[in-house]
Amino acid sequence: MTTQIKKRPRVPVHGVLLLDKPVGFSSNDALIKAKRFLNAMKAGHTGTLDPFATGLLPLCFGEATKFSQDLLEADKTYTTVVHLGVTTTTGDTEGDVLVQKPVDVTVSAIEQVLKQFNGPIKQVPPMYSALKRDGKPLYEYARAGVTLEREARDVTIHELELLDYQAPLLTLKVKCSKGTYVRVLGEDIGAALGCGAHLKELRRIQVGHLVLEKSITLESLESMPEQERLALLDPVDALLSSFPSVRLGDELATRFLHGQRLALGKEAVLLPERAGRVRVYRDSDGQLLGSAQLQEFQILAPERLINTQ
């Protein structure tokens, strides 16, 4: 007779966990583990890190998942080690070697080439990516030996800093816009240097205003008691802290939670000087109510609402 072990029921958990993703894990694998450690009902991550990459992976739980799109849109910062002289099928260490060339590159040449990639650039997405064509990810075509035409996309490299060069390894710091493939950036830098390249290491150190220094590893998370794990969660509004706040009295807060647009011109509500996205709180207890757009004529239009029950 076998004894079945009862699974603990999942519980509502709300907030943001900053995870330092280990190498070899997909973002979804890391999310599933963290979700199990917190015994959480609902969770999502905010932008995929490739399995070979490590670093900051913000995980959203419960009500925080409503605002995960904001981090998908945010700028990202990485440190990366580019292996010059070797190109691979995937642009990183997971692919097969295609071409090997000798590396005879000076620091001066590298600095000149890096200038070409600073600012707005065009970038062709890699075949080994999750972008879809006819409902199928590009990497499935690539694995079948099929190469499809891809349109170049506009991305922006805000910062591109040379940290170290010990041939053939080039260490860079990259701050870039959403949609940037650092793998492709490494390949393009290698091509411009005439020797080719692939990424040996990639570590994400910042997403928007969230930083790696405040993250925790899966190993550390697993070793903690459950209450200590829950105490690590940042509040839901950690994802919105870059937006100005608006505080509403109880009556206006109730109307806001019902999805009503509020004309605040004659109300005693302190408003930001500029229109745009805001985070909204109930003044009496500091409860986050959600996000909104402050429009012309001091109209507050609800955007995403928090379940305050």
Side-chain angles (χ1 to χ4, degrees), residues 146-164:
V146 177
T147 300
L148 302 176
E149 288 290 323
R150 288 99 63 209
E151 284 190 18
R153 304 196 303 184
D154 294 314
V155 298
T156 301
I157 308 300
H158 300 293
E159 295 176 23
L160 185 55
E161 182 182 353
L162 174 60
L163 298 180
D164 187 48

Side-chain angles (χ1 to χ4, degrees), residues 105-116 162 170 193:
V105 177
T106 64
V107 170
S108 177
I110 291 168
E111 289 174 340
Q112 287 303 310
V113 163
L114 293 185
K115 290 177 183 177
Q116 302 173 24
L162 174 60
L170 174 64
L193 288 168

Side-chain angles (χ1 to χ4, degrees), residues 88-283:
T88 70
T89 53
T90 58
D92 57 35
T93 57
E94 298 191 315
D96 298 325
V97 173
L98 290 172
V99 179
Q100 290 185 275
K101 291 184 178 180
V103 177
D104 183 18
V105 177
T106 64
V107 170
S108 177
I110 291 168
E111 289 174 340
Q112 287 303 310
V113 163
L114 293 185
K115 290 177 183 177
Q116 302 173 24
F117 294 93
N118 237 319
I121 62 170
K122 295 278 188 182
Q123 193 178 73
V124 178
M127 278 301 300
Y128 280 89
S129 69
L131 292 176
K132 290 188 177 180
R133 181 77 60 85
D134 298 327
K136 190 162 72 169
L138 290 182
Y139 63 75
E140 290 191 12
Y141 293 100
R143 288 169 182 168
V146 177
T147 300
L148 302 176
E149 288 290 323
R150 288 99 63 209
E151 284 190 18
R153 304 196 303 184
D154 294 314
V155 298
T156 301
I157 308 300
H158 300 293
E159 295 176 23
L160 185 55
E161 182 182 353
L162 174 60
L163 298 180
D164 187 48
Y165 177 50
Q166 302 291 329
L169 302 181
L170 174 64
T171 304
L172 304 172
K173 180 181 178 184
V174 182
K175 182 178 180 182
C176 53
S177 66
K178 69 167 185 172
T180 302
Y181 286 92
V182 182
R183 274 183 294 143
V184 174
L185 179 64
E187 289 180 307
D188 290 347
I189 289 170
L193 288 168
C195 58
H198 72 281
L199 290 199
K200 178 178 172 63
E201 296 175 16
L202 180 63
R203 185 157 177 78
R204 189 157 67 191
I205 59 175
Q206 188 164 350
V207 178
H209 61 281
L210 304 176
V211 294
L212 180 63
E213 287 80 3
K214 296 185 178 180
S215 67
I216 188 168
T217 64
L218 281 173
E219 191 176 43
S220 296
L221 194 65
E222 185 175 19
S223 67
M224 288 180 172
E226 187 169 311
Q227 285 308 308
E228 286 186 25
R229 294 172 187 164
L230 293 172
L232 290 171
L233 290 173
D234 287 329
V236 173
D237 60 356
L239 298 178
L240 302 172
S241 61
S242 61
F243 301 110
S245 63
V246 171
R247 295 184 174 272
L248 302 176
D250 289 354
E251 182 183 342
L252 288 173
T254 299
R255 289 171 56 195
F256 180 83
L257 286 172
H258 287 157
Q260 294 181 23
R261 289 158 53 90
L262 305 177
L264 300 178
K266 296 182 180 179
E267 302 288 346
V269 176
L270 187 64
L271 296 174
E273 291 183 6
R274 295 182 180 180
R277 194 150 187 240
V278 296
R279 50 196 163 114
V280 182
Y281 298 84
R282 184 164 49 216
D283 195 35

